[in-house]
Amino acid sequence: MRTEDVLAAIATGLWRWDNASGTVSLDGVAARLLGLPAEPVTLPEVSVRSRFHPVDWNEINGIVTLAVAEDTLAEARLRIMDEDGRVLRTVRSRSKALENHGPDGRVDYELIGTIQEIAEPQPGTTAVHTPITGDWRRSREAFLLDAGRALAEARSTAEVLRVAASLSMPGFSPDGLAVFGMTGDRLAVIGHHGHDPGDDGPFARMRLDTDYPAAEVVRTGRAIYLPSPEEYKRRFPATWPLAQGFGRGSWAFLPLIVAGRTLGAWMAAFKHPVTFSPDERSVLTTVARMLAQALQRAGVAESERELTTGLQRSMMPQLGPDIPGMTIAARYVPTGGGLQVGGDWYDMIPLPSGRFALVIGDVQGHDVRAAGLMGQLRIAVRAYASEGHRPDAVLSRASRFLAGLCSSQERDRSGSRGRGGEDPDPFEDADFQSPRFATCLYVECDPRTGVLEVARAGHPDPAVRMTDGTVLMRPTAGGLPLGIVPDTDYPTTRFALEPGETMMLCTDGLIETGGHDLDTGWARLRAILESEAHDGGEDLEELADLLVQAVHGPSSHHTTGPLADRREDDIAVVLLHREGADRGRGAPVAHPARPARRTMLTVAQAEPERIAGARHQVRELLHDWADADQVDSAVLMVSEMVTNVLVHTDGDAALVAEAVGELGARRLRVEVADASDELPHKRHPGEMASSGRGVLLMEMLADDWGVDPRGEGKSIWFELHERAGQ
């Protein structure tokens, strides 16, 4: 017996759907089941499509697409309609989709399968009616997973609404969507899709007691399903004229509920009739719950962003008016975790003397309390500076202010514990009321001469980019961070920013973020600073962006580079550039002389550990010196000269090193000054002696050296001439 005879005996028809030609071939049984004459026939796709219920047609499209992707059978339950729109029967289709590659490279598929009539459950029976079986359930699960992921990734209310508008539900995709929110005792449309601009006007400010489905859903917290216009008109006659003009055939209004609180309502409207079976209601309810949670998350995120923006605008100052001969650029980047605000800050303060002050600091932590303390401390520093105090006095007063502020909060915490009632939450108050400290760097600048006076409280030293591109960390004297000891002295370091040089002030977040320590982080920043010439103005703004992007990655709406999801410290950076002397005086010199490279350092009697810093400064100054042996000699002589000052005198050692000339033919001059009048003299140490070789080293290693008496003390110096190619 042939296969066709067997299938005909069990009332099972065959069909072949060719997507490329747009035709459908049916055998006699399949044609009869579709309400056509019982004979083999080939029909256009539109003729067969008109026989399916429109809801089922949408569902079978999704099922076939999923079957093609999974290489499985597509199984569906379909209702067959006559010319008058009445349901003739229900059939089950099982088919296999085969891909066909055309000569033009286009990929189409051919659907080959069977169709068989099935009995529908009669009214009053316990059978559950499910319009689609088999793969449809997997497509529904896949849809819900995709919808949940898309809604979870939405970061704003606008994004949530765009995702909701793009959801294509399996088998019954709505043609119109609207999200209603509550504003006081009124209902407002906060987003819609599938409507023309202005269509939401009558629904914009609707009272909650209005006879409208969305209002009733918000009042009662229960969903409303309206499968037909007649049902809508019967239940809500007062607002039916408003909905009638949109030409919809079915409506679903569902509450948006989160944690037992109704946030609003969601409307899904359909042009074709929808019966809202249990499966369809389950999908709509699940989407409504996910939509409500996404809207709440977006609202919280928008509130946090608004709070962050407000805090940043109020606490981060605008750089003041233009300063003749100076250019300033600054950046602040909050931490990547939690509330986007922290304890880093910067400020520029005009001073009564006509100078200005640059301040950069970092309050311990990057939370709300750190931001609050930062705001109070910034105001205090600005007030002390505006009164005309010197840099050391400003930091001393600021330290006393912060220590007093934290101690008063600690007393308040202890007092609240002893006044009866419930004890404060130990996990919350312990951190919020605990003492905090802050690092700070205060620089007073004379824009006319470029002289800088620096006071430092536990903060990273400033860095200076010289006119030839060399970058050095400028060592400065410092004291404890603010707030640790109320009465702390902060020594002041004075040096000049030469024309064409740029100074960088930053918090440790710029250096250490990304798994770096102080050394590797500084090497990363130094490479950026030395990468190319930056000459103030727009170049300084570009340099500030490059420094931040080296840590944080290029800015974008969705990602900020490989370190976007960091949970580290905030970043603040300030750049100060002193314009060159020849700026604005016509064309530059064709072959200008290479500018001098200079550094200076003071080593106090109480800080012998800074001798290592002096050696490091000289080595950094000579980082591109041609002869490595000469660099080692210079470092050795500097170490010997500074050590002799600390051992044989009672004063401090002041080191000045300068390299001048063209590459390969430069001259290094190093001077170490002290306040003693006793001149060095040549000694003849024994084999076991531990000192007395300083002058011998100078004679052996230096090209020239000497001692210059001064009004108070003396200066010991040596010179080295670069020997290229040796």
Side-chain angles (χ1 to χ4, degrees):
M1 182 179 291
R2 294 185 310 161
T3 302
E4 292 82 353
D5 297 333
V6 174
L7 293 175
I10 59 176
T12 300
L14 292 174
W15 65 346
R16 180 187 296 268
W17 196 304
D18 190 348
N19 189 55
S21 62
T23 59
V24 182
S25 300
L26 307 169
D27 68 357
V29 177
R32 179 186 63 80
L33 292 176
L34 293 182
L36 301 171
E39 57 186 25
V41 64
T42 299
L43 299 173
E45 178 183 317
V46 64
S47 300
V48 177
R49 177 177 175 178
S50 64
R51 294 289 175 171
F52 295 137
H53 192 284
V55 174
D56 299 346
W57 169 256
N58 291 334
E59 292 171 351
I60 191 63
N61 274 338
I63 292 173
V64 170
T65 302
L66 186 62
V68 171
E70 296 182 347
D71 193 23
T72 58
L73 294 178
E75 182 173 351
R77 201 172 195 157
L78 306 169
R79 287 168 288 182
I80 307 301
M81 313 290 292
D82 61 12
E83 291 82 353
D84 299 326
R86 293 173 298 186
V87 177
L88 291 177
R89 61 182 59 86
T90 301
V91 299
R92 176 183 286 114
S93 168
R94 290 174 60 87
S95 56
K96 175 68 174 179
L98 304 176
E99 289 188 353
N100 291 327
H101 297 268
D104 57 351
R106 179 182 175 184
V107 178
D108 286 299
Y109 61 84
E110 186 177 19
L111 202 64
I112 302 173
T114 62
I115 183 172
Q116 184 180 37
E117 185 174 4
I118 59 175
E120 287 286 6
Q122 298 300 318
T125 64
T126 59
V128 178
H129 171 67
T130 54
I132 299 297
T133 62
D135 286 349
W136 180 84
R137 296 191 179 279
R138 292 211 307 274
S139 67
R140 184 185 69 177
E141 293 170 359
F143 159 75
L144 292 176
L145 288 174
D146 292 340
R149 182 176 62 252
L151 289 171
E153 293 174 353
R155 302 184 180 184
S156 65
T157 301
E159 287 186 29
V160 171
L161 296 176
R162 282 198 298 270
V163 171
S166 65
L167 296 178
S168 180
M169 302 181 191
F172 58 107
S173 296
D175 304 286
L177 298 170
V179 177
F180 299 86
M182 291 189 297
T183 306
D185 61 345
R186 293 185 177 274
L187 206 62
V189 178
I190 62 175
H192 61 88
H193 173 71
H195 306 87
D196 295 329
D199 285 349
D200 58 334
F203 310 92
R205 297 283 293 172
M206 185 175 292
R207 293 177 58 89
L208 287 179
D209 57 1
T210 304
D211 186 28
Y212 182 65
E216 182 174 324
V217 164
V218 171
R219 292 195 305 267
T220 63
R222 293 192 298 269
I224 294 177
Y225 298 98
L226 304 172
S228 65
E230 292 75 19
E231 182 68 10
Y232 195 124
K233 183 177 181 180
R234 182 186 67 80
R235 295 189 57 180
F236 301 96
T239 54
W240 165 244
L242 297 177
Q244 185 177 10
F246 294 102
R248 311 294 187 191
S250 299
W251 297 262
F253 292 84
L254 297 101
L256 300 176
I257 301 175
V258 177
R261 185 170 64 94
T262 303
L263 305 179
W266 176 50
M267 181 201 75
F270 306 82
K271 285 187 177 180
H272 55 268
V274 179
T275 59
F276 297 115
S277 66
D279 278 332
E280 293 166 345
R281 295 190 183 199
S282 175
V283 171
L284 290 170
T285 301
T286 304
V287 172
R289 291 173 180 171
M290 293 189 298
L291 181 60
Q293 294 171 358
L295 287 172
Q296 185 195 42
R297 287 193 300 268
V300 172
E302 289 172 346
S303 298
E304 289 184 354
R305 285 194 292 269
E306 185 177 355
L307 174 60
T308 299
T309 302
L311 284 173
Q312 291 183 17
R313 288 178 178 176
S314 62
M315 295 181 178
M316 290 294 107
Q318 297 292 328
L319 296 179
D322 293 339
I323 301 171
M326 296 281 186
T327 308
I328 302 177
R331 295 291 184 273
Y332 170 71
V333 181
T335 180
L339 190 63
Q340 301 288 294
V341 69
D344 289 22
W345 92 94
Y346 64 85
D347 205 351
M348 190 188 80
I349 308 170
L351 302 178
S353 61
R355 301 181 177 187
F356 68 94
L358 292 178
V359 188
I360 190 166
D362 181 3
V363 176
Q364 176 193 5
H366 41 83
D367 50 17
V368 175
R369 186 184 178 219
L373 289 176
M374 176 268 286
Q376 297 176 79
L377 185 58
R378 172 177 164 263
I379 293 172
V381 170
R382 174 174 278 268
Y384 297 142
S386 300
E387 290 176 352
H389 296 292
R390 303 298 299 166
D392 55 339
V394 171
L395 291 191
S396 295
R397 286 168 166 78
S399 181
R400 193 158 45 245
F401 170 82
L402 182 58
L405 190 64
C406 291
S407 63
S408 65
Q409 292 179 346
E410 181 69 19
R411 287 194 302 271
D412 291 343
R413 180 187 174 209
S414 300
S416 64
R417 184 182 295 112
R419 285 194 293 267
E422 295 183 358
D423 290 336
D425 187 342
F427 298 100
E428 178 179 356
D429 280 7
D431 180 67
F432 193 82
Q433 303 291 353
S434 61
R436 298 280 183 104
F437 64 85
T439 64
C440 185
L441 187 68
Y442 183 97
V443 181
E444 184 175 316
C445 178
D446 186 342
R448 184 178 58 85
T449 62
V451 173
L452 308 176
E453 295 188 50
V454 182
R456 186 170 60 87
H459 201 82
D461 284 309
V464 175
R465 183 188 188 277
M466 301 178 183
T467 51
D468 70 341
T470 301
V471 178
L472 293 180
M473 191 77 76
R474 180 70 71 182
T476 58
L480 293 172
L482 305 178
I484 293 181
V485 178
D487 295 318
T488 304
D489 294 329
Y490 295 96
T492 301
T493 302
R494 183 173 181 174
F495 63 91
L497 190 67
E498 301 295 337
E501 293 185 342
T502 300
M503 180 178 66
M504 180 189 75
L505 313 177
C506 69
T507 58
D508 56 0
L510 184 68
I511 302 174
E512 297 180 329
T513 294
H516 289 270
D517 56 23
L518 287 175
D519 292 331
T520 60
W522 164 239
R524 173 182 57 183
L525 297 179
R526 180 176 180 176
I528 298 296
L529 291 168
E530 293 183 344
S531 59
E532 55 181 294
H534 299 278
D535 189 20
E538 296 181 357
D539 290 337
L540 200 66
E541 297 290 338
E542 179 185 354
L543 177 58
D545 289 334
L546 289 174
L547 289 170
V548 171
Q549 289 176 7
V551 175
H552 206 250
S555 58
S556 132
H557 181 69
H558 293 292
T559 180
T560 48
L563 301 178
D565 197 30
R566 60 192 178 89
R567 296 294 186 268
E568 302 182 58
D569 206 356
D570 308 324
I571 293 173
V573 58
V574 178
L575 300 175
L576 175 65
H577 176 80
R578 187 180 181 194
E579 297 173 357
D582 59 345
R583 185 176 177 89
R585 297 183 181 179
V589 180
H591 298 284
R594 190 171 185 86
R597 186 185 300 175
R598 183 182 301 106
T599 186
M600 59 187 68
L601 175 68
T602 299
V603 180
Q605 283 284 338
E607 297 177 315
E609 66 276 3
R610 298 195 69 187
I611 297 177
R615 293 194 294 264
H616 182 73
Q617 280 287 297
V618 173
R619 195 172 291 279
E620 290 291 308
L621 187 75
L622 304 179
H623 69 93
D624 57 353
W625 198 264
D627 189 344
D629 291 338
Q630 283 188 313
V631 176
D632 292 337
S633 298
V635 171
L636 177 60
M637 287 187 286
V638 166
S639 180
E640 182 70 20
M641 293 163 66
V642 175
T643 302
N644 283 339
V645 171
L646 298 187
V647 171
H648 299 295
T649 73
D650 296 328
D652 302 337
L655 168 70
V656 178
E658 182 181 61
V660 296
E662 296 297 327
L663 293 177
R666 288 173 289 185
R667 176 177 58 87
L668 171 68
R669 181 180 176 91
V670 178
E671 296 183 10
V672 176
D674 62 78
S676 174
D677 294 331
E678 182 180 355
L679 299 179
H681 55 275
K682 189 174 182 179
R683 300 168 62 187
H684 299 280
E687 183 178 347
M688 302 300 294
S690 59
S691 63
R693 296 183 177 84
V695 174
L696 293 177
L697 287 174
M698 304 274 280
E699 289 181 343
M700 293 175 57
L701 301 177
D703 292 323
D704 196 7
W705 72 279
V707 180
D708 295 335
R710 295 186 175 179
E712 293 183 358
K714 63 182 180 298
S715 172
I716 307 173
W717 59 270
F718 72 84
E719 291 184 354
L720 286 177
H721 301 282
E722 187 176 17
R723 295 189 291 269
Q726 296 187 11

mmCIF file with all atom_site columns, all heavy atoms in Angstrom, residues 126 182 192 214 354 375 476 557 575 609-610 658 672 695:
data_model
loop_
_atom_site.group_PDB
_atom_site.id
_atom_site.type_symbol
_atom_site.label_atom_id
_atom_site.label_alt_id
_atom_site.label_comp_id
_atom_site.label_asym_id
_atom_site.label_entity_id
_atom_site.label_seq_id
_atom_site.pdbx_PDB_ins_code
_atom_site.Cartn_x
_atom_site.Cartn_y
_atom_site.Cartn_z
_atom_site.occupancy
_atom_site.B_iso_or_equiv
_atom_site.pdbx_formal_charge
_atom_site.auth_seq_id
_atom_site.auth_comp_id
_atom_site.auth_asym_id
_atom_site.auth_atom_id
_atom_site.pdbx_PDB_model_num
ATOM 1   N N   . THR A 1 126 ? -13.194 19.021 31.313 1.00 0.00 ? 126 THR A N   1
ATOM 2   C CA  . THR A 1 126 ? -12.036 19.493 32.080 1.00 0.00 ? 126 THR A CA  1
ATOM 3   C C   . THR A 1 126 ? -10.806 19.682 31.222 1.00 0.00 ? 126 THR A C   1
ATOM 4   O O   . THR A 1 126 ? -9.754  20.055 31.730 1.00 0.00 ? 126 THR A O   1
ATOM 5   C CB  . THR A 1 126 ? -11.705 18.477 33.183 1.00 0.00 ? 126 THR A CB  1
ATOM 6   O OG1 . THR A 1 126 ? -11.433 17.211 32.577 1.00 0.00 ? 126 THR A OG1 1
ATOM 7   C CG2 . THR A 1 126 ? -12.852 18.356 34.166 1.00 0.00 ? 126 THR A CG2 1
ATOM 8   N N   . MET A 1 182 ? 1.255   57.089 37.634 1.00 0.00 ? 182 MET A N   1
ATOM 9   C CA  . MET A 1 182 ? 0.440   57.906 38.533 1.00 0.00 ? 182 MET A CA  1
ATOM 10  C C   . MET A 1 182 ? 1.204   59.155 38.947 1.00 0.00 ? 182 MET A C   1
ATOM 11  O O   . MET A 1 182 ? 2.377   59.096 39.305 1.00 0.00 ? 182 MET A O   1
ATOM 12  C CB  . MET A 1 182 ? 0.055   57.095 39.770 1.00 0.00 ? 182 MET A CB  1
ATOM 13  C CG  . MET A 1 182 ? -0.931  55.973 39.490 1.00 0.00 ? 182 MET A CG  1
ATOM 14  S SD  . MET A 1 182 ? -1.543  55.230 41.021 1.00 0.00 ? 182 MET A SD  1
ATOM 15  C CE  . MET A 1 182 ? -0.026  54.578 41.700 1.00 0.00 ? 182 MET A CE  1
ATOM 16  N N   . HIS A 1 192 ? 4.162   55.543 24.832 1.00 0.00 ? 192 HIS A N   1
ATOM 17  C CA  . HIS A 1 192 ? 3.227   54.772 24.001 1.00 0.00 ? 192 HIS A CA  1
ATOM 18  C C   . HIS A 1 192 ? 3.904   54.424 22.690 1.00 0.00 ? 192 HIS A C   1
ATOM 19  O O   . HIS A 1 192 ? 4.908   55.026 22.289 1.00 0.00 ? 192 HIS A O   1
ATOM 20  C CB  . HIS A 1 192 ? 1.929   55.553 23.759 1.00 0.00 ? 192 HIS A CB  1
ATOM 21  C CG  . HIS A 1 192 ? 2.120   56.858 23.029 1.00 0.00 ? 192 HIS A CG  1
ATOM 22  N ND1 . HIS A 1 192 ? 2.122   56.956 21.661 1.00 0.00 ? 192 HIS A ND1 1
ATOM 23  C CD2 . HIS A 1 192 ? 2.320   58.116 23.500 1.00 0.00 ? 192 HIS A CD2 1
ATOM 24  C CE1 . HIS A 1 192 ? 2.305   58.218 21.304 1.00 0.00 ? 192 HIS A CE1 1
ATOM 25  N NE2 . HIS A 1 192 ? 2.442   58.950 22.398 1.00 0.00 ? 192 HIS A NE2 1
ATOM 26  N N   . ALA A 1 214 ? -7.668  51.545 32.333 1.00 0.00 ? 214 ALA A N   1
ATOM 27  C CA  . ALA A 1 214 ? -6.388  51.722 33.016 1.00 0.00 ? 214 ALA A CA  1
ATOM 28  C C   . ALA A 1 214 ? -6.585  52.286 34.419 1.00 0.00 ? 214 ALA A C   1
ATOM 29  O O   . ALA A 1 214 ? -5.897  51.885 35.368 1.00 0.00 ? 214 ALA A O   1
ATOM 30  C CB  . ALA A 1 214 ? -5.476  52.636 32.200 1.00 0.00 ? 214 ALA A CB  1
ATOM 31  N N   . GLY A 1 354 ? 46.173  88.911 44.513 1.00 0.00 ? 354 GLY A N   1
ATOM 32  C CA  . GLY A 1 354 ? 46.241  88.877 43.064 1.00 0.00 ? 354 GLY A CA  1
ATOM 33  C C   . GLY A 1 354 ? 46.722  87.542 42.530 1.00 0.00 ? 354 GLY A C   1
ATOM 34  O O   . GLY A 1 354 ? 46.680  87.299 41.317 1.00 0.00 ? 354 GLY A O   1
ATOM 35  N N   . GLY A 1 375 ? 32.437  68.240 50.664 1.00 0.00 ? 375 GLY A N   1
ATOM 36  C CA  . GLY A 1 375 ? 31.824  69.545 50.442 1.00 0.00 ? 375 GLY A CA  1
ATOM 37  C C   . GLY A 1 375 ? 32.119  70.519 51.579 1.00 0.00 ? 375 GLY A C   1
ATOM 38  O O   . GLY A 1 375 ? 32.435  71.692 51.342 1.00 0.00 ? 375 GLY A O   1
ATOM 39  N N   . THR A 1 476 ? 58.045  67.386 47.154 1.00 0.00 ? 476 THR A N   1
ATOM 40  C CA  . THR A 1 476 ? 57.698  68.506 48.023 1.00 0.00 ? 476 THR A CA  1
ATOM 41  C C   . THR A 1 476 ? 57.622  68.018 49.461 1.00 0.00 ? 476 THR A C   1
ATOM 42  O O   . THR A 1 476 ? 57.310  66.859 49.728 1.00 0.00 ? 476 THR A O   1
ATOM 43  C CB  . THR A 1 476 ? 56.347  69.126 47.621 1.00 0.00 ? 476 THR A CB  1
ATOM 44  O OG1 . THR A 1 476 ? 55.332  68.111 47.678 1.00 0.00 ? 476 THR A OG1 1
ATOM 45  C CG2 . THR A 1 476 ? 56.399  69.702 46.221 1.00 0.00 ? 476 THR A CG2 1
ATOM 46  N N   . HIS A 1 557 ? 28.002  55.748 25.578 1.00 0.00 ? 557 HIS A N   1
ATOM 47  C CA  . HIS A 1 557 ? 26.758  55.647 26.352 1.00 0.00 ? 557 HIS A CA  1
ATOM 48  C C   . HIS A 1 557 ? 26.658  54.315 27.086 1.00 0.00 ? 557 HIS A C   1
ATOM 49  O O   . HIS A 1 557 ? 26.193  54.254 28.214 1.00 0.00 ? 557 HIS A O   1
ATOM 50  C CB  . HIS A 1 557 ? 25.562  55.804 25.418 1.00 0.00 ? 557 HIS A CB  1
ATOM 51  C CG  . HIS A 1 557 ? 24.240  55.737 26.120 1.00 0.00 ? 557 HIS A CG  1
ATOM 52  N ND1 . HIS A 1 557 ? 23.805  56.714 26.981 1.00 0.00 ? 557 HIS A ND1 1
ATOM 53  C CD2 . HIS A 1 557 ? 23.270  54.796 26.111 1.00 0.00 ? 557 HIS A CD2 1
ATOM 54  C CE1 . HIS A 1 557 ? 22.615  56.394 27.457 1.00 0.00 ? 557 HIS A CE1 1
ATOM 55  N NE2 . HIS A 1 557 ? 22.263  55.226 26.939 1.00 0.00 ? 557 HIS A NE2 1
ATOM 56  N N   . LEU A 1 575 ? 45.432  70.289 35.583 1.00 0.00 ? 575 LEU A N   1
ATOM 57  C CA  . LEU A 1 575 ? 46.620  70.622 34.801 1.00 0.00 ? 575 LEU A CA  1
ATOM 58  C C   . LEU A 1 575 ? 46.793  72.133 34.768 1.00 0.00 ? 575 LEU A C   1
ATOM 59  O O   . LEU A 1 575 ? 45.831  72.865 34.505 1.00 0.00 ? 575 LEU A O   1
ATOM 60  C CB  . LEU A 1 575 ? 46.501  70.083 33.374 1.00 0.00 ? 575 LEU A CB  1
ATOM 61  C CG  . LEU A 1 575 ? 46.352  68.566 33.225 1.00 0.00 ? 575 LEU A CG  1
ATOM 62  C CD1 . LEU A 1 575 ? 46.112  68.201 31.767 1.00 0.00 ? 575 LEU A CD1 1
ATOM 63  C CD2 . LEU A 1 575 ? 47.576  67.839 33.756 1.00 0.00 ? 575 LEU A CD2 1
ATOM 64  N N   . GLU A 1 609 ? 65.817  59.819 54.581 1.00 0.00 ? 609 GLU A N   1
ATOM 65  C CA  . GLU A 1 609 ? 65.300  58.878 53.586 1.00 0.00 ? 609 GLU A CA  1
ATOM 66  C C   . GLU A 1 609 ? 65.087  59.545 52.228 1.00 0.00 ? 609 GLU A C   1
ATOM 67  O O   . GLU A 1 609 ? 64.966  58.860 51.198 1.00 0.00 ? 609 GLU A O   1
ATOM 68  C CB  . GLU A 1 609 ? 63.991  58.255 54.076 1.00 0.00 ? 609 GLU A CB  1
ATOM 69  C CG  . GLU A 1 609 ? 62.823  59.209 54.203 1.00 0.00 ? 609 GLU A CG  1
ATOM 70  C CD  . GLU A 1 609 ? 62.811  59.966 55.533 1.00 0.00 ? 609 GLU A CD  1
ATOM 71  O OE1 . GLU A 1 609 ? 63.762  59.775 56.329 1.00 0.00 ? 609 GLU A OE1 1
ATOM 72  O OE2 . GLU A 1 609 ? 61.858  60.727 55.761 1.00 0.00 ? 609 GLU A OE2 1
ATOM 73  N N   . ARG A 1 610 ? 65.085  60.875 52.201 1.00 0.00 ? 610 ARG A N   1
ATOM 74  C CA  . ARG A 1 610 ? 64.879  61.566 50.926 1.00 0.00 ? 610 ARG A CA  1
ATOM 75  C C   . ARG A 1 610 ? 66.138  61.582 50.066 1.00 0.00 ? 610 ARG A C   1
ATOM 76  O O   . ARG A 1 610 ? 66.102  62.053 48.927 1.00 0.00 ? 610 ARG A O   1
ATOM 77  C CB  . ARG A 1 610 ? 64.397  62.990 51.169 1.00 0.00 ? 610 ARG A CB  1
ATOM 78  C CG  . ARG A 1 610 ? 63.055  63.063 51.904 1.00 0.00 ? 610 ARG A CG  1
ATOM 79  C CD  . ARG A 1 610 ? 62.435  64.430 51.821 1.00 0.00 ? 610 ARG A CD  1
ATOM 80  N NE  . ARG A 1 610 ? 61.992  64.730 50.471 1.00 0.00 ? 610 ARG A NE  1
ATOM 81  C CZ  . ARG A 1 610 ? 61.526  65.928 50.101 1.00 0.00 ? 610 ARG A CZ  1
ATOM 82  N NH1 . ARG A 1 610 ? 61.483  66.914 50.981 1.00 0.00 ? 610 ARG A NH1 1
ATOM 83  N NH2 . ARG A 1 610 ? 61.139  66.144 48.871 1.00 0.00 ? 610 ARG A NH2 1
ATOM 84  N N   . GLU A 1 658 ? 70.736  70.655 36.576 1.00 0.00 ? 658 GLU A N   1
ATOM 85  C CA  . GLU A 1 658 ? 70.307  71.257 35.314 1.00 0.00 ? 658 GLU A CA  1
ATOM 86  C C   . GLU A 1 658 ? 71.102  70.647 34.175 1.00 0.00 ? 658 GLU A C   1
ATOM 87  O O   . GLU A 1 658 ? 72.330  70.508 34.252 1.00 0.00 ? 658 GLU A O   1
ATOM 88  C CB  . GLU A 1 658 ? 70.508  72.769 35.350 1.00 0.00 ? 658 GLU A CB  1
ATOM 89  C CG  . GLU A 1 658 ? 70.052  73.485 34.090 1.00 0.00 ? 658 GLU A CG  1
ATOM 90  C CD  . GLU A 1 658 ? 70.297  74.979 34.159 1.00 0.00 ? 658 GLU A CD  1
ATOM 91  O OE1 . GLU A 1 658 ? 71.483  75.366 34.285 1.00 0.00 ? 658 GLU A OE1 1
ATOM 92  O OE2 . GLU A 1 658 ? 69.325  75.751 34.103 1.00 0.00 ? 658 GLU A OE2 1
ATOM 93  N N   . VAL A 1 672 ? 74.846  71.383 45.244 1.00 0.00 ? 672 VAL A N   1
ATOM 94  C CA  . VAL A 1 672 ? 74.270  71.065 46.543 1.00 0.00 ? 672 VAL A CA  1
ATOM 95  C C   . VAL A 1 672 ? 74.707  72.156 47.509 1.00 0.00 ? 672 VAL A C   1
ATOM 96  O O   . VAL A 1 672 ? 75.912  72.314 47.786 1.00 0.00 ? 672 VAL A O   1
ATOM 97  C CB  . VAL A 1 672 ? 74.725  69.685 47.048 1.00 0.00 ? 672 VAL A CB  1
ATOM 98  C CG1 . VAL A 1 672 ? 74.177  69.429 48.451 1.00 0.00 ? 672 VAL A CG1 1
ATOM 99  C CG2 . VAL A 1 672 ? 74.262  68.594 46.093 1.00 0.00 ? 672 VAL A CG2 1
ATOM 100 N N   . VAL A 1 695 ? 85.621  63.907 47.991 1.00 0.00 ? 695 VAL A N   1
ATOM 101 C CA  . VAL A 1 695 ? 86.402  64.730 47.071 1.00 0.00 ? 695 VAL A CA  1
ATOM 102 C C   . VAL A 1 695 ? 87.134  63.857 46.060 1.00 0.00 ? 695 VAL A C   1
ATOM 103 O O   . VAL A 1 695 ? 87.262  64.208 44.874 1.00 0.00 ? 695 VAL A O   1
ATOM 104 C CB  . VAL A 1 695 ? 87.392  65.609 47.867 1.00 0.00 ? 695 VAL A CB  1
ATOM 105 C CG1 . VAL A 1 695 ? 88.313  66.376 46.919 1.00 0.00 ? 695 VAL A CG1 1
ATOM 106 C CG2 . VAL A 1 695 ? 86.631  66.572 48.762 1.00 0.00 ? 695 VAL A CG2 1
#
